[in-house]
Amino acid sequence: MSNDLLDLTLKRRSTRIFLTDEIEDNTINEILKIALTAPSSWGEHPVHFVVVKDKEMIREIAHCKAMGANPLIQSNVCIVVMVDTSNCELWIEDASVASTYILLAAEQFNIGACWIHIRNRAGQVKSADEEIRELLNVPDNFRVLNCIALGQKGEFKKEYSEDKLHIENIHHDFF
C-alpha cells in the first residue's frame, strides 16, 4: 500500500544547519497556506504567523531566547507562531497543530525546518514570549508558542525507517 504522508514523515528531520540560499516567496506562501488548513479548537482559527526574512531581525528574535535559538541565526526565514488567546482556551494545541503542518509542508518542498520553543522559556530579561511580542509589536492578548527556522538544508540526516517505529506504543481497545 502506498502511503505518501508516511513517506514524507519518515524523511522529515529537524534541520539546524542552513545554506545561505534564499527561499522563494511563493514557496513560503505555499507552506503558510498549508498551515492555514490546520484544524483549530471550535474552528476559530486563532493562530497567526509573523514571517521574518530580515537577517538582523531574525538575530534579534533569536536573542529573545536565553538559549537554544541558534538555528534561527543561520536560517533564511523565521516564522513566529502565535495565537490570539482572547477567545481560545486551547491555544497551545492550536499553535502546535499549525506548527506541525509547517514542518511537514517545508519537507514537502525540501526546505529544512526546526521548531524553536518559546513558551515558558527564559528571555534575556523577561520571558522569551514577552520579549518577542515587544520586538514585533504584538498585542498583549497574543502568546507565542514557537518560532520555526526555515532554510535550504545544510545538513542531511538519515531518514527514519518504518521498521524502527515503536509499534508497541499502539494499543487496541485497552492499554
Side-chain angles (χ1 to χ4, degrees), residues 3-11 162 165:
N3 188 337
D4 294 340
L5 185 55
L6 177 61
D7 294 341
L8 182 70
T9 61
L10 290 171
K11 288 192 311 188
E162 194 170 344
L165 296 177

Side-chain angles (χ1 to χ4, degrees), residues 12-30:
R12 203 219 74 76
R13 304 293 303 272
S14 291
T15 301
R16 292 177 178 85
I17 299 172
F18 300 99
L19 303 176
T20 58
D21 303 358
E22 297 292 319
I23 301 172
E24 294 183 17
D25 286 341
N26 64 337
T27 302
I28 296 167
N29 291 336
E30 290 300 309

Side-chain angles (χ1 to χ4, degrees), residues 94-119:
D94 288 349
S96 295
V97 174
S99 296
T100 300
Y101 275 41
I102 291 171
L103 296 173
L104 290 172
E107 183 60 42
Q108 176 180 298
F109 292 104
N110 200 32
I111 301 296
C114 186
W115 175 307
I116 309 296
H117 201 77
I118 300 299
R119 184 183 70 85

Side-chain angles (χ1 to χ4, degrees), residues 7-82:
D7 294 341
L8 182 70
T9 61
L10 290 171
K11 288 192 311 188
R12 203 219 74 76
R13 304 293 303 272
S14 291
T15 301
R16 292 177 178 85
I17 299 172
F18 300 99
L19 303 176
T20 58
D21 303 358
E22 297 292 319
I23 301 172
E24 294 183 17
D25 286 341
N26 64 337
T27 302
I28 296 167
N29 291 336
E30 290 300 309
I31 289 169
L32 290 168
K33 283 195 281 187
I34 291 168
L36 290 171
T37 69
S40 63
S41 54
W42 302 291
E44 292 292 323
H45 302 285
V47 183
H48 291 246
F49 309 97
V50 176
V51 179
V52 181
K53 293 175 66 178
D54 178 77
K55 293 296 279 180
E56 184 54 38
M57 181 60 86
I58 291 172
R59 275 190 213 73
E60 288 184 43
I61 291 169
H63 187 70
C64 289
K65 187 174 179 191
M67 57 182 275
N70 287 340
L72 276 178
I73 296 168
Q74 290 188 36
S75 71
N76 301 106
V77 177
C78 169
I79 299 175
V80 181
V81 181
M82 63 186 74

